[in-house]
Structure formats: C-alpha cells, structure tokens
Amino acid sequence: MKLSNKKSNAKSKGVDYWTKRISDQEMPALCSTVKTLEKLAKDDVSSLGLLGKSVMHDNALTSRILRVANSATYSKGVSHVTTVSRASVVLGFDTIRNICITAKLLSSLLESEGLTQGVYQRLIKLMARAFQAAMLAKMMLRDHDEELQEEVFIASLLYHIGESAFWSTGCEEAVELDGQDPLPAELLQQRLKQTADMLEIKVDELKGRMIRCSDATKKLAEAYGARVLIEHLPNPIHLTKDLRANVDAPLIRMPDMNEQLKKLRELTNCAMVKADFNQVITTTLEGILSGVGVDRCGVLLLSPNRKRLQPRIVLGDGAEQMKNEFIITLEQPQCLFCDCIELKQPMFVDDPSSAKWRLYMDDYLKNKTSTMGFMISPLLVEQKVIGIIYADRASSGRKLNQSEFDNFTHFSQLANVCLSVALGH
C-alpha cells in the first residue's frame, strides 16, 4: 500500500512540478547561465564583451571554456586563446555559448550530491551517452556550416536533459525507478544501415567515422573536466570487431587469364619504353597477384654485401607486415634462396614438409613462408641477380599447382627482360 501511494504521488506531481523543481532547486546555475546567454545573444553589438564579463566571476567555468576552445575539436590552428572574449572572436558567439551551456550542464550534473550508487551510475551513463550522441550528430553534419553543427550538438546533448536532471535529484522516485530494468536497445546493425543510407555512404565508412568520433569524444570530455564520463562512453569495440572480421577474411583471388594477358601486355610496353624499376616491378606483382591468383607476392632485393634479402615492394594480404618482417638471411649451410640465386633458376616448393624440401626449410624459413607451398624466381639485370620474386597463398591456405608456377615464371622472365632493357648497358 505504501509503495502504491508513492507511485500515485509521483504521478500526481505532474510535468509542471518536476520542471519547476529541476529549474529552481536542482539545476539553478545551469538555468541562470542559459538565461544570461540568451539575453546576450539578442545584443549583437556588445554580446562578445558582455559574455567575457558574465563568466569572469566563475573561474571554473572560464577555465573549462578556454580548455575546450583550445582543444583539437575547436582549435582553429591559431595561437592559444587566453580570454573568453578572444575565444568568442575566434570561434564565434554561438559556439562559445554552446560551450558554456555544455560546461555548466556537465558540472551541474556531475556535482549532484546525496545520490545512491545505483542512481549515480545511471546518471553518469546517461550523460556519457548524451555526450557521445552530440558528438556523433555533429560528425554526421561535418559537410554543413559550423553554426548548424553546433546547433545540432547542443540539441542532441540536451535531448534527454529532463531525464538526466531527474536522476540528479536523487529523490525517492529516482531510487525506486532505478530498480527497474532499462528498455532493450535497438538493433545496432539496423541503425547503422539507416544512418549510412541517410548520409549516402557505406556502412564500413560510417563505422570508421564513428570510431574516430569516439576518440575525439574522449579528448573533449577530458577538456571539459568530465573525465569520469570516459569509461562510460559507448564502447566502439562492436564496430571494430565487424571491421576487423572483414579485414581479416582472406580475399580469394582465383587465376584470371584476362588479367594475366593485360599485365603481360603492359610489361611488353614497359620493355619498349624502357620503364623505370618501380613500374616494371609493380606491374609484374599486380599480374602475379590478380592474374596468377596468389594471396601475397613481393620483390626482395639483395643487400650490398649479398648476405640477406629484404622486401622492396609487396602486394596482397598482410603486405605491410611482410614488408617489415620478411627478411631472409643467406648464410645457412643449406639455403633454398641461395640456390635460386646461384643457379639463376625459379623454384616451386609445392610441399615444404616433403622429403624433397625438408632439409632446406629450417625453423626461421618456415616461420616466414607458407606451409602450403611457395614460388620464388631470381630477379636479373643482364644475368646478374639483384633479388628474388616471391609468391604464396598463405592467408587462404590454398595449394599452388604446376600451371600456376608456369604463369608465375612467365611474369618473372618478362620482368627480367624489361629490367635488362631499362637498366642494362
């Protein structure tokens, strides 16, 4: 009976009661600041000077305004502003007004006292979501003028101001409602698709923008002195997981005869015009990657002392990692790459674990190459070996066959002809 009476009293108080209570008792500083700023906004002549004077008495607010004005989100690349009046000139009155409102809102809510732990946590999470929503809304309008971006930012931030203010009261009704389960969230993928369609971009591009926006939100929260919000901001891990899954899923490149013919013609033209080294190698690797159908390929050049091979140009899956890590030393007793260089012959390692190749494959080489097999061929300039062309299907785990090795060899030989014509004497 007692509980039902409480609910009845809460309902009977109505919207007017809660609006007046929140305005007059719970958040008077914020309401006063907003009223002052709105009065100043109507006076175009003296608003900038009066704005500086109106916040001078509030050292904490002044400090927050200047920190935010000099933050990466708002800084115009000029020297640091040191007064609110100067910040108003650089950023504009509307922007500074919104910064003031945001700073006052955050301080009013964060400084709420007498709250139970559950209610306080609910308030912080709600504020964090509102702050992130405001940044996302601003990000979505990045192609529009700054005035509209700021208007949308403050509208999004204040969208749930009534709910935030209610939780900040810590009243009996708030404690009682804290025990209720929150409404289930809307499906993330559906919302992402709707937003991407509205912006006329792909979902993955939207995810990338949202992840960057999340990082910017953390920095801006810190500038506002609201570091407590950071750990409660929505975690973009759900976005990065999806993106990472798409990135990590290997692209299966099947042999493409049309692509092979296209790149072979380009190489023939390279020989005729004596194209430079980079053009010859890039065209060759593109033909091997997309035409022969491998997962990764690269050119490894000999060091000046000819004791190691180091990647120069790499294409395909994990290209950056291969370029940084695929360094082959040539000082082992039995070295497969050494034999390729000395014999000036291409080699097809169809099964590295077989008796034929096992003695040539030490642990170091096994860690670098594909367990499913790989192809190597010497890179020659007038019969002098300057490096190696390498290709495999490491990421997809597919085997190579003799026909694909023949096509790989064709590209390698034509590349050698092009380099000899262009670089030879």
Side-chain angles (χ1 to χ4, degrees):
M1 183 63 125
K2 189 174 183 182
L3 182 59
S4 62
N5 286 338
K6 280 186 179 180
K7 289 183 178 179
S8 177
N9 291 337
K11 288 181 180 179
S12 64
K13 288 174 181 176
V15 175
D16 291 339
Y17 167 82
W18 288 109
T19 302
K20 182 172 177 56
R21 174 172 173 175
I22 289 169
S23 299
D24 298 341
Q25 299 179 36
E26 308 300 341
M27 304 179 73
L30 174 63
C31 295
S32 174
T33 299
V34 172
K35 288 176 183 177
T36 300
L37 291 170
E38 289 305 317
K39 287 180 182 178
L40 293 177
K42 297 175 183 177
D43 187 349
D44 295 333
V45 178
S46 58
S47 60
L48 296 182
L50 291 173
L51 176 62
K53 292 179 181 178
S54 68
V55 300
M56 275 180 58
H57 67 281
D58 191 333
N59 292 332
L61 177 59
T62 300
S63 176
R64 286 182 178 181
I65 291 172
L66 294 178
R67 278 205 311 269
V68 174
N70 290 310
S71 69
T73 301
Y74 288 99
S75 176
K76 299 292 184 181
V78 297
S79 57
H80 269 39
V81 294
T82 55
T83 65
V84 174
S85 298
R86 176 59 182 164
S88 302
V89 171
V90 174
L91 299 179
F93 177 82
D94 289 338
T95 299
I96 293 300
R97 177 186 61 189
N98 289 340
I99 291 175
C100 284
I101 292 173
T102 304
K104 266 298 181 184
L105 171 65
L106 292 174
S107 62
S108 297
L109 294 175
L110 290 175
E111 293 167 8
S112 302
E113 297 178 349
L115 306 182
T116 65
Q117 184 63 24
V119 170
Y120 180 73
Q121 287 297 316
R122 186 184 283 266
L123 173 62
I124 294 297
K125 289 177 182 178
L126 183 63
M127 290 172 61
R129 285 201 299 269
F131 197 60
Q132 181 68 83
M135 287 292 285
L136 286 171
K138 183 176 179 179
M139 174 272 291
M140 290 167 63
L141 295 178
R142 65 180 189 178
D143 294 330
H144 295 72
D145 60 74
E146 293 182 0
E147 183 178 351
L148 180 58
Q149 291 181 35
E150 286 303 314
E151 185 178 338
V152 168
F153 176 91
I154 206 70
S156 300
L157 184 71
L158 299 179
Y159 188 75
H160 291 291
I161 179 64
E163 185 179 354
S164 298
F166 169 75
W167 290 114
S168 73
T169 64
C171 60
E172 291 182 11
E173 290 84 356
V175 175
E176 181 181 343
L177 289 173
D178 180 51
Q180 298 181 6
D181 294 329
L183 293 174
E186 296 290 338
L187 294 175
L188 175 61
Q189 294 303 323
Q190 180 183 348
R191 289 290 178 257
L192 288 172
K193 181 67 168 60
Q194 290 173 338
T195 305
D197 290 345
M198 182 179 67
L199 297 177
E200 298 181 345
I201 60 176
K202 294 182 178 179
V203 172
D204 279 350
E205 182 180 347
L206 173 63
K207 289 179 181 180
R209 291 186 187 182
M210 291 175 69
I211 292 168
R212 291 190 291 274
C213 182
S214 178
D215 294 335
T217 304
K218 293 175 183 176
K219 295 176 182 177
L220 189 61
E222 193 163 350
Y224 271 111
R227 190 175 297 180
V228 67
L229 297 183
I230 294 177
E231 65 179 286
H232 297 287
L233 290 171
N235 193 335
I237 189 66
H238 303 293
L239 302 174
T240 56
K241 276 183 179 178
D242 291 340
L243 286 175
R244 195 169 302 247
N246 291 335
V247 170
D248 290 344
L251 173 64
I252 305 299
R253 301 176 183 87
M254 301 302 294
D256 187 333
M257 292 305 298
N258 290 330
E259 186 68 15
Q260 287 186 46
L261 289 172
K262 176 185 173 183
K263 293 302 175 181
L264 289 172
R265 289 192 194 101
E266 289 180 19
L267 281 174
T268 301
N269 186 63
C270 286
M272 294 173 64
V273 301
K274 296 186 178 181
D276 62 29
F277 177 86
N278 285 340
Q279 185 178 350
V280 171
I281 295 305
T282 300
T283 303
T284 300
L285 294 179
E286 287 174 346
I288 294 172
L289 183 71
S290 302
V292 178
V294 299
D295 294 342
R296 62 176 182 172
C297 56
V299 163
L300 289 68
L301 295 184
L302 279 164
S303 61
N305 63 8
R306 303 180 72 82
K307 289 187 177 181
R308 72 174 182 172
L309 289 162
Q310 186 153 351
R312 171 67 179 274
I313 300 177
V314 179
L315 299 181
D317 302 337
E320 194 62 34
Q321 182 179 3
M322 182 178 176
K323 191 170 184 179
N324 292 330
E325 300 177 3
F326 205 97
I327 299 170
I328 305 296
T329 58
L330 303 174
E331 298 178 300
Q332 301 95 324
Q334 290 181 299
C335 175
L336 190 65
F337 286 78
C338 293
D339 288 351
C340 179
I341 292 170
E342 291 176 8
L343 298 173
K344 298 179 183 177
Q345 292 293 323
M347 293 186 174
F348 177 27
V349 183
D350 55 347
D351 183 2
S353 62
S354 67
K356 180 180 179 181
W357 301 112
R358 193 166 54 239
L359 294 177
Y360 292 92
M361 299 294 298
D362 60 14
D363 290 339
Y364 179 83
L365 201 56
K366 287 177 182 177
N367 289 332
K368 301 294 183 186
T369 58
S370 171
T371 57
M372 303 305 293
F374 56 90
M375 304 177 289
I376 55 176
S377 182
L379 193 64
L380 302 166
V381 176
E382 291 191 324
Q383 293 304 305
K384 180 180 180 181
V385 180
I386 62 171
I388 291 281
I389 300 177
Y390 175 93
D392 68 25
R393 287 174 172 166
S395 57
S396 64
R398 294 174 296 151
K399 278 189 167 291
L400 295 157
N401 59 40
Q402 184 63 43
S403 175
E404 290 155 354
F405 175 61
D406 292 341
N407 293 331
F408 167 80
T409 301
H410 190 177
F411 273 103
S412 303
Q413 290 172 342
L414 191 49
N416 291 337
V417 171
C418 293
L419 292 179
S420 295
V421 170
L423 305 177
H425 301 294

